[in-house]
Amino acid sequence: MIKRLFQIALPIVMAWLMVMPLSAQGVAFGVKGGLEVVSMEFNDDVFDKSNRAGFFVGPTFVISTALPGLAIDISGLYNERTLRVEGESVQQKSILIPAHVRYGASIMDFGGVFLTAGPQLSFNVGPSKFYWEDVNKNAKQFLLQDTKLAIDFGVGLSIGQHLEAIVYYSIPIGKTGDFTWNKVSKAANEASSALNNTNTTANSWMLSATYIF
């Protein structure tokens, strides 16, 4: 399903990005970086939520439009985060391409506040398959999705002409990965022929700081 959504969303996002800058009043370049807190949610109730941290950094472009207060924020970010799956730490490395619309108001000469929302495409650039055994010799596998689509919502604060701070909440569309495991029979000391499977989504809070040149 996620692949189908990606195929539908990509041309829409690309067309939107091509049309909106036609009325642009200016383009500002900057560098964005920040921290991420990930909340893992499993479909199977036997698993507890697990929180882990990550970071992201990369260039960003802020494109102002003809409408006062309305702008577009497009970034290319390297993202590295750690997921916790059944006692195992899984490191995910991705390239994030968020494309957000923002709308806000200035606060005299201090800066301004704004709301922001939009899609985020994610491409996995690190390992996608992880295998291990627990202390009871149970075989386990976690498989990450290669591409993902998420929707971000956030609120931001600009300070002067060069600094911005934004807090996002990112909600993935579809699953983040599949977790498969089997249990070793203590009596026969052989792996069970039946595999167990569940999938997980990784919602996240992202706190970013941007310097606009």
Side-chain angles (χ1 to χ4, degrees):
M1 181 178 179
I2 186 64
K3 290 184 178 180
R4 181 58 179 166
L5 289 171
F6 177 76
Q7 292 171 350
I8 295 173
L10 183 58
I12 295 175
V13 172
M14 296 303 295
W16 171 63
L17 294 178
M18 292 175 63
V19 172
M20 288 297 290
L22 294 179
S23 58
Q25 301 299 295
V27 179
F29 170 75
V31 175
K32 178 180 293 186
L35 301 176
E36 179 182 27
V37 177
V38 184
S39 176
M40 300 282 287
E41 297 183 1
F42 292 91
N43 283 6
D44 197 319
D45 292 336
V46 302
F47 299 103
D48 296 326
K49 291 183 179 180
S50 179
N51 294 320
R52 283 297 180 271
F55 70 91
F56 55 92
V57 64
T60 188
F61 296 88
V62 179
I63 306 170
S64 60
T65 70
L67 297 177
L70 183 66
I72 303 168
D73 183 348
I74 305 172
S75 304
L77 307 173
Y78 173 76
N79 174 231
E80 190 171 307
R81 62 186 185 177
T82 301
L83 310 177
R84 191 75 172 175
V85 183
E86 271 295 89
E88 186 76 7
S89 293
V90 173
Q91 189 176 65
Q92 182 179 19
K93 300 177 181 180
S94 305
I95 298 297
L96 309 180
I97 305 179
H100 299 148
V101 174
R102 60 165 69 179
Y103 183 77
S106 299
I107 306 176
M108 297 183 292
D109 294 331
F110 172 76
V113 294
F114 54 89
L115 299 176
T116 180
Q120 175 181 271
L121 296 175
S122 175
F123 303 91
N124 191 50
V125 295
S128 59
K129 294 182 180 180
F130 300 87
Y131 305 91
W132 69 94
E133 289 185 347
D134 63 17
V135 293
N136 297 316
K137 302 300 182 180
N138 297 327
K140 300 182 178 181
Q141 171 185 293
F142 187 69
L143 177 64
L144 288 166
Q145 295 292 304
D146 290 328
T147 58
K148 297 187 299 297
L149 176 65
I151 302 298
D152 300 337
F153 302 92
V155 58
L157 174 69
S158 59
I159 304 172
Q161 300 295 318
H162 298 286
L163 294 178
E164 292 183 348
I166 309 175
V167 177
Y168 300 101
Y169 186 62
S170 183
I171 304 173
I173 298 177
K175 61 188 177 182
T176 299
D178 290 293
F179 179 49
T180 304
W181 73 101
N182 60 7
K183 293 185 177 180
V184 174
S185 171
K186 292 182 179 179
N189 196 30
E190 294 179 354
S192 169
S193 59
L195 292 178
N196 301 280
N197 179 270
T198 187
N199 58 59
T200 179
T201 57
N203 298 350
S204 64
W205 287 97
M206 304 177 75
L207 174 62
S208 74
T210 303
Y211 183 84
I212 304 294
F213 296 100

